[in-house]
Amino acid sequence: MAPSHRPPHPAGRGLRPLARGAAVLAASLALLSSLVGVAPAAPQSADDADADVRVNAQAALGTLTSEARGVNTAIWDAHMNDPEVAGLMKSADVGVMRYPGGSYADIYHWETHTAPGGYVAPGTGFDAFMGTVRATGAQPVLIANYGSGTPEEAAGWVRYANITKKYGAKYWEIGNEIYGNGHYGSGWEHDDHEDKSPQEYARQVRAYAAAMKAVDPTVRIGAVLTTPGEWPDGVVGEGDSGDWNQTVLPAVADVVDFVSVHWYAGGADTTAEDAMTRLARLPGELREVRRQIDRAAGADSPDIEIALTEINTNTGGARLTARPNGLFAADAFMTALENGVFTVDWWNTHNGAGQITTVDGETDYGDMGMLSSGACTGDVCEPAPNTPFSPYYGMKMTAGLGTAGDTMVAAESSTQDVSAHAVLRRDGRLSVMLVNKDPDTARTVDLDYTGFTPSTTAPEVSRYARGDSDITDVTDGEASASRVTVPPYALLTVTLQPKAGTGPGASAAAAPGTPRLEAVTDTTARLSWEGATGATRYLVQERDGTHTRLVGETTGTAVTLRNLPPGSTHTVNVLAADSSGRVSGPSAPLTFSTGTPSDAACAVTYHRDTSWGNGFVATVTVRNLSGTPITGWTVDWDWAAAGQSLSSGWNASFEQTGSHVRVTASEGAGPLAADGGSTASFGFVGANDGPNPDPAAFRLNGAVCSGG
């Protein structure tokens, strides 16, 4: 993609009469910047940058947990407990190790360390695995055997792990990809249950949770969900009333503590370049997981976490160990963490050689592992066991960006060729990671900040680029707080010191607690939060990308936001100000949606009749509740996610412009009777590339309707 260009600086082009006014304006802006902690824009250099990256240190995306970075381990991997593994994972700040290995979990019996029908490598038993976990300083995520196990067997594992051995194993999933048990026509996952429906899985999750928590009430139980927008999302099995998530979540929301989803960019032919493009779907898909939890759990939704327990470029094949997949790993880890998951677990630690290809001038072993297993394909063998592949360095690069307790903040790039991620460190520093996805051209990037004023100290710079055998510290001094150059196909992290007397460290106020939604209507939202030490007032701000605007201010710890559009979605966070007006770091964010009016003059029912992953059929029914008949009508809505569209329809005329849809009554259609005396129905075939949430609000002749 051609680099974006900005117009040249207009200095010296007949602007002298405005010089004094410009100077006054500049002084005013500088004063405002000093008051709110916004860095003034750096002067435009003679050479245009290839990309502009804006970072807003007051727009929080969430706090990194100690479990943020994770890896999968498998009992068929003879190298999973090699001493080198713990050292490598510790260096990359890995906080989660998942066991006993994907689909193997549903044939694995922990007490006998057997997996009938599968291979179990020597030295891979549970205690040996926990030795590696402890040496790494990590936390296990354990998958209880759903496919061929019982709640009693899982409870026995909890007893052994946490009562007998005192391992303190916190996270327990119930099965692996159980939706792949054949219920939807594809059966890679072992499942001995006669009933393979989502209803039965939900019943069993409740039984597993009860048995396991009876042994140790502190364990956190996870249920398997499908990823919205990925098969079999939206598919309704025979005899079911809804798809997998629609069935499972409402039935288990009161007994689970997290949900587990998986994300692969595609099949065996998907390249890392394809995957980096498809990564743009992931934020919307994760937001839809959270919306589904919100609907199922209500006020308890914040207590249910999201774990992305498997991720990789593709599900097997080639182009998996070379540099592009390292770029994907770094981008994917941060993208997922910024969008509401508490752990991202790479598939796999070791996996084994596959198709041999040449990528970016180096041998790609077609291996889904982060570390070499030393295996061969034909006469081509991988390097020595535990040699890191590029995805390992991608994950390790994110460890240099931020660790547990640091705050992820909004960063936005002007070009798709460069991804940007930023973290506000607990000590007041700001780290920015840039991913240059162009294989041929270095990218010059201009950096601009809101809520952070960098010092004049030269930034610390680390790099993973061609020729680097590890994350490399850069000391050439060419990088500055306002401009850096990222080599082709490279990762670059810049860490900046704050100007003395600025930033959250200069405020006597600590960061407030995460806001909670106390009540919401079609136009209002009542928020509350835990107060902060040293705070004299609180600022509530709404985020749109990297831009924020003040929407509420109070000396208390609650506020009601008013005049919100019906059916609209908002992301807010709170800052505390001390007695001098200096603001703290931002709270973690809250995303919420307003509803539709209960006393509206119309009502709409939207029903998805059938879905098949990337398409669906829906029926919309409209009722006029006013006291006056309506002759001639239009129904309008906006799609809630990118990639949704309307293909064809019946019983009305259809028009889509961007994300907006307008449906007009067919010529000769009868009136809509007053007081709900009649209805109008129409249907359509839709398409979705990614998640497929229902529209949030409908309008009949411009008036917002109830329902949806």
Side-chain angles (χ1 to χ4, degrees):
M1 175 178 291
S4 61
H5 293 287
R6 300 181 303 190
H9 194 276
R13 294 191 179 181
L15 298 182
R16 291 186 183 274
L18 299 180
R20 184 177 179 183
V24 172
L25 176 60
S28 300
L29 289 174
L31 176 60
L32 177 62
S33 297
S34 68
L35 290 174
V36 300
V38 178
Q44 175 78 30
S45 72
D47 298 323
D48 288 338
D50 301 308
D52 296 310
V53 166
R54 172 186 289 272
V55 178
N56 189 337
Q58 293 180 337
L61 304 180
T63 303
L64 289 168
T65 69
S66 58
E67 300 94 358
R69 280 165 286 273
V71 294
N72 280 268
T73 58
I75 55 174
W76 41 259
D77 171 16
H79 295 288
M80 66 175 284
N81 294 313
D82 288 354
E84 301 95 322
V85 172
L88 286 164
M89 295 306 166
K90 193 177 186 70
S91 294
D93 195 39
V94 166
V96 156
M97 304 184 86
R98 184 172 180 252
Y99 177 92
S103 295
Y104 258 61
D106 287 305
I107 59 173
Y108 179 64
H109 301 283
W110 70 271
E111 194 166 13
T112 58
H113 189 50
T114 58
Y119 170 72
V120 177
T124 60
F126 176 57
D127 288 317
F129 163 73
M130 285 305 302
T132 300
V133 170
R134 288 185 155 186
T136 301
Q139 172 78 230
V141 168
L142 301 172
I143 317 171
N145 183 344
Y146 175 85
S148 60
T150 64
E152 293 71 28
E153 181 182 31
W157 196 0
V158 173
R159 182 175 295 106
Y160 178 79
N162 291 355
I163 308 301
T164 303
K165 301 295 289 189
K166 297 183 172 21
Y167 287 143
K170 182 178 179 182
Y171 297 103
W172 298 77
E173 295 179 61
I174 310 304
N176 185 52
E177 297 170 349
I178 303 302
Y179 47 80
N181 61 6
H183 185 67
Y184 298 110
S186 186
W188 67 87
E189 199 76 18
H190 187 92
D191 185 358
D192 286 339
H193 296 88
E194 183 176 352
D195 182 352
K196 294 178 170 53
S197 69
Q199 295 94 323
E200 177 64 13
Y201 176 71
R203 286 191 289 268
Q204 291 290 338
V205 166
R206 298 189 68 87
Y208 273 73
M212 296 164 77
K213 288 195 174 188
V215 175
D216 181 356
T218 69
V219 297
R220 298 184 66 80
I221 302 298
V224 173
L225 296 186
T226 64
T227 303
E230 309 294 332
W231 189 92
D233 173 54
V235 179
V236 177
E238 184 177 354
D240 297 340
S241 59
D243 67 13
W244 182 273
N245 290 5
Q246 290 171 338
T247 304
V248 171
L249 255 178
V252 304
D254 61 324
V255 299
V256 300
D257 305 285
F258 70 100
V259 297
S260 172
V261 294
H262 294 171
W263 198 84
Y264 292 89
D269 294 330
T270 301
T271 67
E273 292 88 343
D274 298 334
M276 285 188 279
T277 299
R278 284 176 59 87
L279 197 57
R281 295 173 48 153
L282 184 57
E285 294 178 348
L286 292 173
R287 285 194 295 270
E288 180 59 15
V289 174
R290 174 51 62 189
R291 279 194 289 262
Q292 292 176 357
I293 296 172
D294 288 344
R295 288 194 292 270
D300 295 327
S301 175
D303 299 326
I304 300 177
E305 299 180 286
I306 302 172
L308 184 56
T309 51
E310 289 186 22
I311 191 170
N312 206 315
T313 301
N314 62 50
T315 53
R319 301 169 293 276
L320 290 161
T321 67
R323 184 169 307 280
N325 211 26
L327 305 185
F328 169 81
D331 211 3
F333 268 91
M334 293 311 303
T335 297
L337 292 167
E338 290 163 352
N339 285 279
V341 306
F342 75 93
T343 185
V344 184
D345 308 333
W346 189 262
W347 184 273
N348 199 2
T349 301
H350 308 91
N351 208 73
Q355 181 182 352
I356 306 299
T357 58
T358 299
V359 178
D360 195 37
E362 61 178 298
T363 300
D364 189 293
Y365 298 97
D367 191 323
M368 299 179 77
M370 283 199 156
L371 308 178
S372 170
S373 63
C376 304
T377 296
D379 58 357
V380 178
C381 294
E382 294 182 347
N386 299 313
T387 300
F389 293 133
S390 286
Y392 169 81
Y393 293 117
M395 178 177 66
K396 186 177 179 181
M397 194 72 171
T398 70
L401 181 67
T403 56
D406 294 340
T407 301
M408 297 171 288
V409 296
E412 189 174 59
S413 172
S414 63
T415 174
Q416 292 182 349
D417 284 350
V418 177
S419 291
H421 305 276
V423 172
L424 184 63
R425 315 297 286 267
R426 287 163 294 166
D427 59 9
R429 295 178 299 158
L430 180 71
S431 294
V432 183
M433 184 179 75
L434 304 170
V435 185
N436 181 4
K437 294 173 274 191
D438 190 307
D440 303 314
T441 308
R443 293 299 192 202
T444 301
V445 179
D446 277 352
L447 300 167
D448 184 54
Y449 311 96
T450 297
F452 182 82
T453 305
S455 74
T456 57
T457 304
E460 301 171 24
V461 181
S462 57
R463 179 193 69 207
Y464 182 60
R466 291 181 179 123
D468 293 333
S469 58
D470 201 339
I471 308 302
T472 302
D473 292 334
V474 180
T475 57
D476 58 17
E478 292 184 5
S480 71
S482 60
R483 174 168 285 197
V484 296
T485 299
V486 191
Y489 256 12
L491 304 169
L492 194 77
T493 296
V494 181
T495 299
L496 306 158
Q497 297 285 347
K499 181 181 178 181
T502 69
S507 175
T514 306
R516 292 183 71 99
L517 183 65
E518 300 291 344
V520 64
T521 70
D522 56 322
T523 59
T524 67
R526 176 74 174 173
L527 313 177
S528 66
W529 55 89
E530 185 178 338
T533 304
T536 59
R537 61 190 174 96
Y538 297 94
L539 310 174
V540 181
Q541 59 177 15
E542 180 172 5
R543 175 173 62 84
D544 180 10
T546 57
H547 297 278
T548 53
R549 63 187 182 91
L550 187 67
V551 293
E553 185 173 354
T554 180
T555 56
T557 56
V559 71
T560 298
L561 306 181
R562 304 184 186 279
N563 300 317
L564 305 175
S568 58
T569 299
H570 307 267
T571 297
V572 297
N573 61 267
V574 184
L575 301 110
D578 65 14
S579 58
S580 299
R582 297 186 179 92
V583 295
S584 69
S587 73
L590 166 71
T591 298
F592 67 90
S593 297
T594 56
T596 55
S598 58
D599 57 350
C602 53
V604 168
T605 301
Y606 178 90
H607 182 263
R608 259 186 284 169
D609 305 323
T610 185
S611 300
W612 52 90
N614 61 354
F616 61 102
V617 175
T619 298
V620 179
T621 302
V622 185
R623 189 182 298 272
N624 169 28
L625 302 180
S626 73
T628 305
I630 296 176
T631 301
W633 50 261
T634 60
V635 173
D636 292 84
W637 73 83
D638 292 290
W639 293 118
Q644 291 179 296
S645 61
L646 189 151
S647 302
S648 60
W650 49 92
N651 293 344
S653 299
F654 299 83
E655 179 184 359
Q656 179 168 337
T657 305
S659 62
H660 184 77
V661 175
R662 168 160 289 187
V663 182
T664 305
S666 300
E667 187 175 347
L672 280 169
D675 301 318
S678 66
T679 62
S681 292
F682 55 86
F684 63 89
V685 178
N688 59 291
D689 182 18
N692 188 27
D694 294 349
F698 292 83
R699 287 173 168 79
L700 175 64
N701 289 356
V704 179
C705 300
S706 61

